[in-house]
Amino acid sequence: MISSECLLNFNQSIRFLAHSEESIFRPRSLNELRSKMKSFAMLETNKQKVVHVLGQRCSFQFSQAHPLKTSVSYQIHNQEQMISTVNCDLLIDMRLMNKVVKLNLKSMEITVEAGITYSELIAYLAFHGLALADISAYTEVTVGGASATGTHGSGNQILSQQFVSMDVVTGMGEIYKLDDAKMFTHLGVLGIVATVTLRCVKMFYLKQSVYLLERWSLLKPLLSEMFRDVEIFSSMLRINLDNSQHPVLMYIRKIASGKDDQFHERDYMGGKLVRGDVARNYGGIGSNEKTTFTDNYWNVIADHSTLSQRNLLGAGKYFHAEYFLPIDCGGEAIDRLLLIAHEFPMFCEALPSGIKCRFVKSDRQLMSPCYNADGTTDYFLAIQFSLYANESIAKQILVKVEAALGDFHPTTHWGKICANPAEFYRLYKERFRTMDQLRQVIDPHDYFIDHRSCLYEAFSG
């Protein structure tokens, strides 16, 4: 029997996990977790056992849980919905391990249990006058879970770039201290991330200015220099697909000089970017939205996507995809996507918020989508698609997207969908091999990688 607590009332695009109540373990402490794993290891020692670890279940498609699914129909709020079930021997729900373990004000480091959400961590740090250098707009993700998929925040780096170390519980209940930054994007295959130590910064304020550029062609020649010429905390673009000129809404976030800093950056980038007076910018005449506002950094990083509307849709009508490619080829890549949008009306219908882009710093984490493989890429352009369509149409669109971006050798976000995962796994082949050496040391019994999954195929291939 499936517990109602496990029927996740979320859109079908997120790969549901449903398990019997008996298979779920919710540790409240590191000792409880270690004790459970030690006893679990003693059971049926001749059997291949599978362990899944969950936090807030915010991933749209995590490779451990795909394609191991069977559809089951349930009545939820008087509507029939199909959920996916994934079988395993032990499901560990980490949400009760959400406490702060230690705060070191001298070293500006904090150690937390991996099930803590960023919203909980932000509140704790704010009380002490501290902050994180980067967070996600979706602050209900857990610290341990976000690092599994290489989640980048609404700043300009992936969230696990702030990590100092992780304590991982093995299948035998032992603790493995992981301080090799290359492995922080762990994909869930290195054991159970129990605690994480992160770097902190002093509390700061962010200022966001919102600009409307009348056509994409104004921004394209400036795209690759946006972050190199000016110190910006983050930026997001929303490129309109309905209008043939493809106007761009651009959200620029900079560290404010103080909580009252309301200066509107009309001369941003020496006037090359913003032309005309403030009335021509978003937030000017005819708009009720502020042009510029300043607040605590977590309030400025708002959800500017259409993600929050997904629950208004029926099951299986919302999907999310994201591709990363070097910033220097970003303008040409977007041109190709806009050309496809002209040729196939389904693009405009399925993408009411247009094409969304963020800028993310490169890093040296093996499984990061922003891994700087050749040492020459300083920034990546993250191109996001919020797809309001059924799975078949979403995949049709992504097939065309991936073909259009193929020349730029994009990577994809582990926690979101793509049309051809095998092709992206091929790009990671050498990195899989390096990571697998550590994986076999920590998890020699393969508890944390399901032999039936695409991810196992990638590691074993």
Side-chain angles (χ1 to χ4, degrees):
M1 178 172 176
I2 304 298
S3 165
S4 60
E5 181 178 324
C6 302
L7 298 181
L8 311 179
N9 187 19
F10 236 40
N11 192 271
Q12 168 64 13
S13 59
I14 295 179
R15 303 294 175 178
F16 291 98
L17 295 176
H19 295 263
S20 66
E21 184 68 25
E22 290 75 17
S23 69
I24 300 176
F25 178 64
R26 300 181 175 89
R28 293 179 177 272
S29 68
L30 179 59
N31 286 338
E32 279 188 18
L33 178 58
R34 293 185 66 192
S35 177
K36 178 65 175 182
M37 292 312 301
K38 287 178 179 178
S39 60
F40 177 78
M42 299 298 294
L43 299 174
E44 299 180 276
T45 55
N46 61 338
K47 174 188 173 184
Q48 175 62 50
K49 292 178 285 189
V50 180
V51 180
H52 283 305
V53 184
L54 295 179
Q56 289 293 99
R57 305 170 174 93
C58 293
S59 177
F60 294 82
Q61 174 194 12
F62 193 46
S63 43
Q64 280 279 63
H66 180 76
L68 310 176
K69 59 171 185 171
T70 56
S71 295
V72 183
S73 177
Y74 284 92
Q75 290 288 329
I76 300 177
H77 299 315
N78 298 320
Q79 292 184 349
E80 185 176 88
Q81 294 193 22
M82 301 299 290
I83 69 167
S84 296
T85 63
V86 179
N87 294 319
C88 69
D89 299 284
L90 178 63
L91 174 67
I92 299 178
D93 185 338
M94 292 292 290
R95 287 177 295 176
L96 298 182
M97 284 188 62
N98 61 353
K99 296 175 284 298
V100 173
V101 178
K102 179 175 63 176
L103 174 63
N104 188 326
L105 295 174
K106 185 176 181 180
S107 66
M108 298 282 282
E109 294 178 355
I110 187 168
T111 301
V112 298
E113 293 176 334
I116 195 170
T117 64
Y118 275 92
S119 60
E120 293 168 328
L121 178 53
I122 288 166
Y124 181 91
L125 288 173
F127 180 79
H128 294 275
L130 298 174
L132 295 173
D134 192 22
I135 60 172
S136 171
Y138 319 130
T139 54
E140 293 310 305
V141 299
T142 62
V143 171
S147 63
T149 59
T151 297
H152 66 86
S154 291
N156 60 10
Q157 61 183 354
I158 66 171
L159 298 180
S160 49
Q161 279 294 93
Q162 303 169 107
F163 286 15
V164 176
S165 64
M166 304 190 305
D167 279 349
V168 176
V169 174
T170 72
M172 299 291 108
E174 303 300 325
I175 296 177
Y176 186 97
K177 188 174 186 63
L178 186 61
D179 54 13
D180 183 351
K182 295 194 303 296
M183 304 299 177
F184 288 160
T185 303
H186 55 86
L187 307 186
V189 301
L190 297 181
I192 307 163
V193 178
T195 64
V196 178
T197 299
L198 307 91
R199 287 180 290 273
C200 308
V201 297
K202 291 183 179 179
M203 175 61 70
F204 60 94
Y205 295 92
L206 278 184
K207 173 178 60 178
Q208 175 172 274
S209 294
V210 188
Y211 303 105
L212 174 62
L213 279 73
E214 295 177 344
R215 55 188 185 277
W216 153 248
S217 60
L218 291 173
L219 179 60
K220 179 185 173 182
L222 304 173
L223 196 65
S224 64
E225 62 180 293
M226 286 182 64
F227 278 88
R228 294 169 178 150
D229 286 358
V230 180
E231 185 62 35
I232 296 177
F233 178 83
S234 69
S235 179
M236 190 186 78
L237 314 177
R238 292 179 65 166
I239 305 172
N240 188 298
L241 296 180
D242 295 328
N243 187 309
S244 61
Q245 296 296 312
H246 303 298
V248 182
L249 266 181
M250 182 166 63
Y251 300 84
I252 299 288
R253 304 185 189 105
K254 299 180 71 175
I255 294 179
S257 59
K259 62 181 180 180
D260 298 320
D261 181 358
Q262 297 289 314
F263 176 67
H264 183 70
E265 309 270 347
R266 288 178 58 187
D267 296 326
Y268 173 65
M269 289 187 69
K272 291 185 292 185
L273 185 61
V274 181
R275 297 170 171 82
D277 58 20
V278 176
R280 293 180 58 191
N281 294 324
Y282 196 62
I285 295 173
S287 172
N288 294 321
E289 187 164 344
K290 297 177 182 178
T291 301
T292 297
F293 73 99
T294 303
D295 207 335
N296 296 310
Y297 74 109
W298 63 84
N299 288 328
V300 174
I301 303 177
D303 179 1
H304 292 293
S305 76
T306 52
L307 178 66
S308 58
Q309 302 176 34
R310 67 182 168 197
N311 290 330
L312 301 177
L313 303 174
K317 294 295 179 65
Y318 181 85
F319 295 85
H320 211 259
E322 186 170 19
Y323 302 91
F324 299 78
L325 44 88
I327 188 66
D328 288 332
C329 57
E332 184 179 350
I334 291 174
D335 276 348
R336 293 192 187 184
L337 295 174
L338 294 177
L339 181 61
I340 297 175
H342 283 297
E343 295 174 349
F344 300 98
M346 72 174 76
F347 266 64
C348 295
E349 296 171 9
L351 294 162
S353 57
I355 296 173
K356 293 176 286 187
C357 301
R358 284 195 172 96
F359 304 85
V360 188
K361 282 184 178 178
S362 64
D363 57 63
R364 303 299 296 174
Q365 296 189 32
L366 283 175
M367 292 299 151
S368 166
C370 299
Y371 178 69
N372 187 7
D374 57 8
T376 62
T377 303
D378 55 351
Y379 277 94
F380 284 80
L381 182 68
I383 306 177
Q384 303 175 341
F385 299 89
S386 295
L387 295 156
Y388 284 73
N390 61 41
E391 186 168 4
S392 174
I393 292 176
K395 288 294 181 70
Q396 290 179 50
I397 291 174
L398 294 182
V399 165
K400 298 182 184 301
V401 166
E402 291 169 19
L405 298 180
D407 290 343
F408 310 114
H409 308 293
T411 55
T412 188
H413 194 301
W414 290 106
K416 301 176 183 179
I417 71 167
C418 61
N420 186 9
E423 177 62 21
F424 291 101
Y425 291 163
R426 184 187 64 78
L427 295 175
Y428 283 87
K429 185 175 181 180
E430 292 303 318
R431 286 185 263 169
F432 275 124
R433 184 175 291 113
T434 301
M435 191 176 189
D436 196 46
Q437 294 173 1
L438 177 62
R439 188 193 68 79
Q440 292 187 43
V441 170
I442 299 177
D443 184 30
H445 300 289
D446 288 357
Y447 287 165
F448 301 101
I449 185 165
D450 197 310
H451 284 201
R452 302 161 296 176
S453 69
C454 292
L455 194 57
Y456 178 76
E457 292 176 10
F459 272 100
S460 59

